[in-house]
Amino acid sequence: TFTIIDDTIDEVDESFEISFTVPPDVTPPSTNPMVTIIDDESPSVSFTQQTYSGEEGGVVEVCLMLSTQLDMETSVTLSISNSVTGYDDAENDDYSGVLTVVTFVPLNQMSCFNITFPDDTEYEFDEAIKLTIDTAGSGLNPGTITEADVCITDDDDPKIRGNCTKVFED
């Protein structure tokens, strides 16, 4: 009888061979049996928040988190949309530093990157981009937060709209 001890690390299935030592008058088996331990973790990846915000001229840290540790490096792809319902559309020069591939190193459950918002002197409504996690080919499942809005708050006076307040149509 074997007792398999569960863990929380996602890893490849593990196998081992059983070899027998038998007395001289006993014929050993012709092949040694193999035991395979099938990994039962089903890791997922999520953003740590649904909304991130920062002011023009500032930086915001965006983080993704795995549901469990992995014993190997893995990456997910992010797609970026400059059009987010309820916000003014961001232009590509309104932000920099967005990763399109986020890599998790072994045994590290979090990976973060910084988005920089260059300052400008244009009076404007708050703008936003939407980041979406694509888990295809990563071996990961989608987590609870697979889309995140990143809001850019206008810092010019007079403020047209602050605090990344969503713009709602009447």
Side-chain angles (χ1 to χ4, degrees):
T1 300
F2 293 97
T3 301
I4 298 172
I5 299 172
D6 197 15
D7 63 22
T8 59
I9 299 174
D10 183 54
E11 54 203 350
V12 296
D13 293 345
E14 300 166 302
S15 297
F16 60 92
E17 184 176 317
I18 300 173
S19 58
F20 295 95
T21 303
V22 295
D25 57 334
V26 175
T27 305
S30 58
T31 59
N32 291 330
M34 290 291 293
V35 175
T36 300
I37 302 170
I38 298 172
D39 189 55
D40 63 351
E41 277 71 44
S42 182
S44 63
V45 61
S46 292
F47 287 104
T48 57
Q49 300 173 203
Q50 287 182 314
T51 304
Y52 300 86
S53 62
E55 194 170 88
E56 289 176 341
V59 175
V60 67
E61 182 180 60
V62 175
C63 295
L64 285 80
M65 180 164 242
L66 297 171
S67 61
T68 187
Q69 291 180 339
L70 304 176
D71 71 346
M72 63 201 125
E73 184 176 285
T74 192
S75 298
V76 294
T77 303
L78 297 182
S79 62
I80 306 162
S81 171
N82 287 355
S83 181
V84 180
T85 303
Y87 297 100
D88 271 8
D89 293 349
E91 302 294 328
N92 289 339
D93 63 353
D94 287 327
Y95 60 92
S96 64
V98 177
L99 295 181
T100 54
V101 175
V102 178
T103 301
F104 294 89
V105 297
L107 304 179
N108 191 351
Q109 285 183 256
M110 189 173 297
S111 186
C112 301
F113 60 92
N114 290 329
I115 300 175
T116 303
F117 307 121
D119 204 1
D120 65 23
T121 57
E122 184 180 341
Y123 303 121
E124 56 197 348
F125 288 106
D126 294 338
E127 302 162 304
I129 60 174
K130 182 177 289 297
L131 304 177
T132 304
I133 299 171
D134 178 4
T135 58
S138 68
L140 299 171
N141 295 313
T144 54
I145 305 173
T146 59
E147 292 184 337
D149 293 343
V150 180
C151 185
I152 307 164
T153 304
D154 185 57
D155 69 341
D156 302 308
D157 287 326
K159 292 192 187 288
I160 295 175
R161 184 164 331 259
N163 300 323
C164 283
T165 304
K166 284 195 171 187
V167 179
F168 295 100
E169 303 290 327
D170 288 325

